[in-house]
Amino acid sequence: MSWLPINPESDFSLQNLPYGVFRPGPGAAARVGVAVGNKVMDLSALAEEGVFGDSDNYVSCFSKPYLNDFMAMGKSAWVSVRKTLQKLLSKDIAELRDNEELKAKVFHSLDSVTMELPAKIGDYTDFYSSREHATNVGIMFRGKENALQPNWLHLPVGYHGRASSVVVSGTPIRRPCGQLQKNMKDPKEGSKYGVSERLDIELEMGVLIGPGNELGTPIDIKDAEDHIFGFVLLNDWSARDIQKWEYVPLGPFGAKNFGTTISPWVVTPMALEPFKCKTSAGVQNDPEPLPYLVEPDYRSYDIDLRVTIQADDIPKPVQVSRSNFKNMYWTHRQQLVHHTVTGCNMKPGDLLGSGTISGQTEDSYGSFLELSWNKQKQVQCGESATRYFLEDGDVISITGTCYGDGYRIGFGDCIGKILPAQSKYI
């Protein structure tokens, strides 16, 4: 229990304490904070009071406009800070509770702060690890008999994304232009330049890396958790018509490099620990992974994921998808380990996208590509509005929640609004 009033339905319970980077007011410097209830705790202010022990180190770390330095400190530091914060907020501890001057420095209203990207993201890799999603897409384009490519059950398929266009929740997304296949049925007719008409979402989660590994030294699956700082919600916006023309033979490029939205709050594995659960696959035995990918504890997290849409013709948010993070065949640990198996070095703040997270039922599909089955059926969005893909002005919101006994673990919002295309060529 905490002396700070916290609504049981708040995303930011005492059991959560997610990290983010915020500005307390216009013109103020960005710094590291923790969300609790309807407040943001300024960790730089707490560090200046010496509550974390190694004062100089933590003052420097939490005064930065990014979490990378803290991410690099590793699990012992993460555990120590979390325990200190939970102690300070406990109802029987007077150190912060009865210090009105310090509380005025430390606490800011959640509604009054401006959130920034939580990290300097040096590299971004997106995976393709939900079997349900991969199967759906395969059936659409290759037929049921060849839905999964031969390699899919042997390794976590991924591609390198664009870190520079990863944006924080609330940043508008401009509809992209690019090369489109002239004839959707005959690629030999070549391409044309135009506005993407099949703009889509991808319901994902992201992992932010803590300590990295040396170049040439892979991460062992038994040590993978030590390298994972935390999780964010992620929407990897996708232009399906641009992707159709460009993706052979090297995969998506311009179709996915124009914007990726993440939530501002980073939820730690410690907060998610009580919500570990079996994956939707249950086991990996047909085939068994190669030894370097075999999980000592093949589980994911029970995170309820929901997508809503709102627009001029959809005045109130309407849920179009409800999935769960457990719908992952390849786990975040396996993704990280496979990423480094060649000796690739990871760095603090690197971002790994899970890939679209789809469930087994139609209402759990994590993209409009699946929901409309590649524009074969309309997606009902409320009483009168329908969609095949996204239209200008659409606002997409992704939320993620773990439901505990009398508390919740949440990530805040992951929101983006579609702006009309801009092009000097049209």
Side-chain angles (χ1 to χ4, degrees):
M1 292 288 291
S2 175
W3 53 263
L4 185 73
I6 301 174
N7 188 319
E9 295 186 357
S10 169
D11 276 351
F12 307 126
S13 58
L14 184 63
Q15 294 86 345
N16 191 353
L17 302 181
Y19 296 95
V21 173
F22 76 102
R23 296 181 188 273
R31 75 286 305 266
V32 175
V34 160
V36 57
N38 61 359
K39 303 291 185 183
V40 178
M41 296 180 73
D42 185 337
L43 296 195
S44 67
L46 283 174
E48 288 173 357
E49 295 293 319
V51 302
F52 300 121
D54 185 359
S55 181
D56 290 342
N57 196 14
Y58 281 112
V59 168
S60 173
C61 177
F62 292 141
S63 298
K64 300 284 179 62
Y66 45 78
L67 277 160
N68 298 60
D69 289 9
F70 184 50
M71 291 169 166
M73 292 174 72
K75 184 173 283 189
S76 61
W78 308 339
V79 171
S80 176
V81 169
R82 179 178 172 83
K83 286 183 177 179
T84 298
L85 292 174
Q86 288 184 322
K87 181 180 178 181
L88 286 172
L89 292 165
S90 296
K91 66 176 183 178
D92 297 327
I93 304 299
E95 183 178 356
L96 181 58
R97 182 193 66 196
D98 297 343
N99 189 332
E100 296 301 324
E101 184 179 353
L102 182 56
K103 283 197 290 187
K105 292 180 182 178
V106 169
F107 286 104
H108 301 270
S109 171
L110 191 61
D111 293 336
S112 68
V113 303
T114 300
M115 299 304 299
E116 306 285 348
L117 278 175
K120 290 194 297 185
I121 300 170
D123 281 295
Y124 163 47
T125 303
D126 196 30
F127 285 89
Y128 187 52
S129 293
S130 163
R131 184 170 185 170
E132 290 82 0
H133 172 67
T135 299
N136 287 339
V137 174
I139 290 172
M140 280 183 228
F141 297 109
R142 291 185 300 274
K144 193 170 184 178
E145 297 303 317
N146 299 298
L148 292 180
Q149 297 281 18
N151 65 350
W152 199 92
L153 290 170
H154 294 267
L155 56 81
V157 173
Y159 73 94
H160 295 290
R162 182 70 184 176
S164 65
S165 55
V166 177
V167 297
V168 72
S169 175
T171 305
I173 298 297
R174 179 74 62 182
R175 181 180 295 274
C177 300
Q179 285 202 31
L180 309 170
Q181 190 170 311
K182 278 185 179 179
N183 185 333
M184 295 294 277
K185 296 182 179 179
D186 185 5
K188 292 182 180 179
E189 291 189 18
S191 65
K192 62 181 180 180
Y193 178 88
V195 176
S196 173
E197 296 180 353
R198 298 195 176 195
L199 183 55
D200 201 357
I201 66 167
E202 288 192 340
L203 168 59
E204 303 191 28
M205 293 198 66
V207 165
L208 285 163
I209 301 301
N213 58 303
E214 294 294 326
L215 181 64
T217 305
I219 293 174
D220 191 283
I221 190 74
K222 297 190 297 295
D223 303 322
E225 286 284 1
D226 294 338
H227 295 268
I228 293 171
F229 177 73
F231 296 81
V232 293
L233 302 172
L234 187 151
N235 185 351
D236 195 33
W237 307 91
S238 300
R240 302 299 184 186
D241 40 7
I242 294 175
Q243 184 176 351
K244 179 178 176 62
W245 173 244
E246 74 178 6
Y247 84 102
V248 177
L250 295 181
F253 181 55
K256 290 175 178 283
N257 70 4
F258 60 92
T260 301
T261 301
I262 64 172
S263 55
W265 294 107
V266 187
V267 177
T268 66
M270 290 173 282
L272 295 174
E273 179 70 22
F275 303 96
K276 278 189 172 179
C277 66
K278 287 185 176 181
T279 69
S280 57
V283 295
Q284 290 178 317
N285 59 7
D286 186 22
E288 290 188 2
L290 293 177
Y292 78 94
L293 285 171
V294 173
E295 283 262 30
D297 183 17
Y298 177 59
R299 289 192 292 171
S300 184
Y301 298 111
D302 182 8
I303 305 175
D304 179 30
L305 299 170
R306 305 190 190 199
V307 181
T308 64
I309 185 171
Q310 189 173 8
D312 288 344
D313 60 337
I314 311 170
K316 294 182 180 180
V318 172
Q319 182 173 300
V320 291
S321 177
R322 183 179 182 182
S323 188
N324 196 293
F325 190 50
K326 65 185 177 183
N327 293 323
M328 296 287 294
Y329 184 84
W330 296 106
T331 70
H332 52 283
R333 295 174 296 272
Q334 290 172 316
Q335 291 171 343
L336 174 60
V337 167
H338 183 63
H339 203 315
T340 70
V341 70
T342 55
C344 174
N345 56 321
M346 309 298 291
K347 295 182 179 180
D350 283 353
L351 176 66
L352 306 183
S354 63
T356 306
I357 305 168
S358 295
Q360 296 181 354
T361 59
E362 289 188 17
D363 60 355
S364 65
Y365 293 167
S367 67
F368 277 86
L369 175 67
E370 296 165 273
L371 290 167
S372 72
W373 208 253
N374 198 23
K375 211 174 178 180
Q376 291 185 27
K377 58 183 179 181
Q378 292 183 326
V379 181
Q380 194 68 39
C381 301
E383 294 183 2
S384 56
T386 59
R387 293 289 188 274
Y388 290 113
F389 291 95
L390 300 182
E391 297 182 1
D392 293 346
D394 286 352
V395 177
I396 294 293
S397 176
I398 297 175
T399 59
T401 311
C402 301
Y403 299 96
D405 185 8
Y407 72 95
R408 293 184 179 185
I409 302 290
F411 298 76
D413 290 322
C414 180
I415 296 175
K417 180 178 181 177
I418 303 303
L419 300 181
Q422 282 186 338
S423 176
K424 63 180 179 180
Y425 300 112
I426 296 178

